[in-house]
Amino acid sequence: MLENIDLSMSVKNGDYKESLDSLEEELGELQRQAWELKIPIILVFEGWHASGIAEDINRFILPLDPRGYDFHTMVKPGYEEALKPFLRRFWTNIPVRGKIAIYDRSWYSRAIIEKYGRESSDKALENCLKEINYFERQLSEDGYLILKFFLHISEKEQKERFKKIRKNNIPLIVDEYEDAGGEELDFIHEYSRYLPVVEKVLEMTDFPHSPWTIVEANDRKFATLKIFSTVIRVVREHIEKVTRTPGQQTIKYLNIATSKTLDLNGSLLEKTDLSKALLSDEYKESKKQCQNTLRELQYELFRQKRSLVIVFEGMDAAGKGGDIHRLVQELNPRLYRVVPVGAPNDIEKAHHYLWRFFEGIPKAGHMTIYDRSWYGRVLVERIEGLCSEDEWKRAYREINEFEEVLANSGAIVLKFWLQIDRETQLERFEGRMADPRKQWKITPEDWRNRERWAAYVDAAEEVLQKTSTSYAPWIVVEANDKYYSRIKVLKTVAETLEKELKS
C-alpha cells in the first residue's frame, strides 16, 4: 500500500506562503465554531521517525487558541500505567466537548511497540487493534470527530534526514529512547521490518468514522498544506452536517408509559427464589470462613499480578453497601478500592460516559469494587430520560466491549445484581426513616424511583440478557435475606478467585 504513494509531491515557496495564510485564518474560525457547537475533535499524528511530525504539529497549532486544545505525547508507560489495561491511559486523555486533542504519536505507535515489538506477535497486535477500533467507534458514535494522519517518507529520505540532523548536532528525538529498551529502538531504526506492520495497522483501522489520511511528507511544505486543508475540509463538512440536519442535536427520550417492555413471564428475575435465607449461627460461621479465604486469595491475586473488578447493581435498599462491607472487611486496604458511583458531574458529562470509569480501573494485582457502575447508562439514565434512546441502546455493545477490554488485560470481572421484592424494599425504606442513624440513606429520589419499579425491573432484565458474557458474567443474588445475600457474594468471589488463580 505505502509503496504506491507518490512521494514526489511538492509545492513552491510562493504558493505555500499564500495558501498557508488563508488556511490559518479559516482554521482559527472553525476552531471557534466547533467550541460553540461543543464538537470534540481528536487529531492523531503518526508516521516514520524524522518524517516531520513535531514540525507539522507545531505549524498546525500556531493559529489555534491555546485554551481550546490539548497536546499529548504518547511515550513509554511508567511502571504504574503498565500495570493497567492498554487503553486506559488513552481514554483518560480524550477531550471535553468543544476542545481539540492533538496526539503526537498515539495508541498506534504504542500498540506496535508494546504488542508487536516486545513479543513479535501478530496475534497480540491484532487483538490490540480490535480494542482500538472499539475505542474509536464508541467515541465517534458519541459525537467525537476523529482524524488520523500518517506522515510517509521513503527509507532513503529517512536516512538522509538522520544524517543531516546528526551532522548539525541537533538533538535527535531518538536519543531519548536509548534507555527505553530494544523494542523502542527497533521501531525507529528498522524501517524495512516495520513497513508491513505499519501497513497492516493502517488497513485494519481505516474506517469512515475514523479514516486515515496518508500524507506525502518528503516535501515538508506539501505535508503541512495537506494536513491543514484536510482538517479544514473535514471539520467544515462536520459542522455543516450538525447545523443543517433537522433534529441532529435533539434527544429522543424514552417514553416509559408507551415503550415496549420485556415479557417477564418466566424471566430470570421473576424466577428468583427470594425466600432463601440463613440462620444467624450459620451466617457467622460461613462469613468467618469465607473472609479468611478471601484474605489469602487477595495476596495470591497480587502475586500473580491479576486484577479483579466487581460490580454491584440492584434496586435501592437491596443491600449493596452491606455486602461490600463484608466483602472487604478482612482485606488489606492497600490492595483494594471501593468506588461509589453517583450522577455524573459537569466535567464527566462533557466526556463520553465511559470516560469516568477508566480512572478507577485497578492495576495488576489489585481490585476495584464498584457500588453502582457504568450500567447507570442502561438503567437510571435510560428510565429518567437522561440520554437518548440511540445512546442507551448502543451502550449494551459498548459495555460488553469495555468489559472485554478489561478481561483481555487479565482482569477477573464479576457482576452482582441484588434482587429484592417491593415489600422488602418498603420495609427497609420505612426502617431507615424511623432510625435517625440511617435517615441519611433515604432520599426523595429513592421514593420517586420506587414508583417506577416495573420500568426498572424491565430494564434490569434486558441488562442481564444482553450483557452477561463468559468473560464478565452476571450473578443474581437473592437479597431479601441480608445474611444469605452476603454469604452468596463472599462464596462466589472466593470460588471464582480459586478457579482463576489455581496453579
Side-chain angles (χ1 to χ4, degrees), residues 458-487:
D458 290 355
E461 186 71 32
E462 193 165 357
V463 165
L464 298 176
Q465 289 180 5
K466 293 186 175 181
T467 62
S468 189
T469 60
S470 59
Y471 50 82
W474 276 106
I475 298 95
V476 176
V477 179
E478 303 85 346
N480 268 13
D481 181 77
K482 292 183 178 181
Y483 287 166
Y484 183 88
S485 174
R486 293 165 186 173
I487 296 305

Side-chain angles (χ1 to χ4, degrees), residues 268 271-279 282 419-421 424 428 475-488:
L268 179 61
K271 289 180 178 179
T272 302
D273 182 3
L274 297 179
S275 67
K276 292 182 178 180
L278 287 178
L279 297 175
E282 184 180 1
Q419 181 66 10
I420 57 175
D421 57 34
T424 299
R428 293 180 183 178
I475 298 95
V476 176
V477 179
E478 303 85 346
N480 268 13
D481 181 77
K482 292 183 178 181
Y483 287 166
Y484 183 88
S485 174
R486 293 165 186 173
I487 296 305
K488 181 167 182 175

Side-chain angles (χ1 to χ4, degrees), residues 174-216:
V174 298
D175 294 336
E176 297 182 8
Y177 288 86
E178 293 299 333
D179 297 325
E183 68 274 5
E184 306 278 342
L185 293 172
D186 289 346
F187 187 41
I188 294 169
H189 296 311
E190 298 186 18
Y191 186 106
S192 297
R193 178 193 172 199
Y194 280 92
L195 176 59
V197 179
V198 168
E199 290 184 328
K200 180 177 184 177
V201 168
L202 296 176
E203 291 169 1
M204 288 187 63
T205 59
D206 184 38
F207 294 97
H209 60 260
S210 57
W212 279 106
T213 298
I214 307 300
V215 179
E216 301 87 342

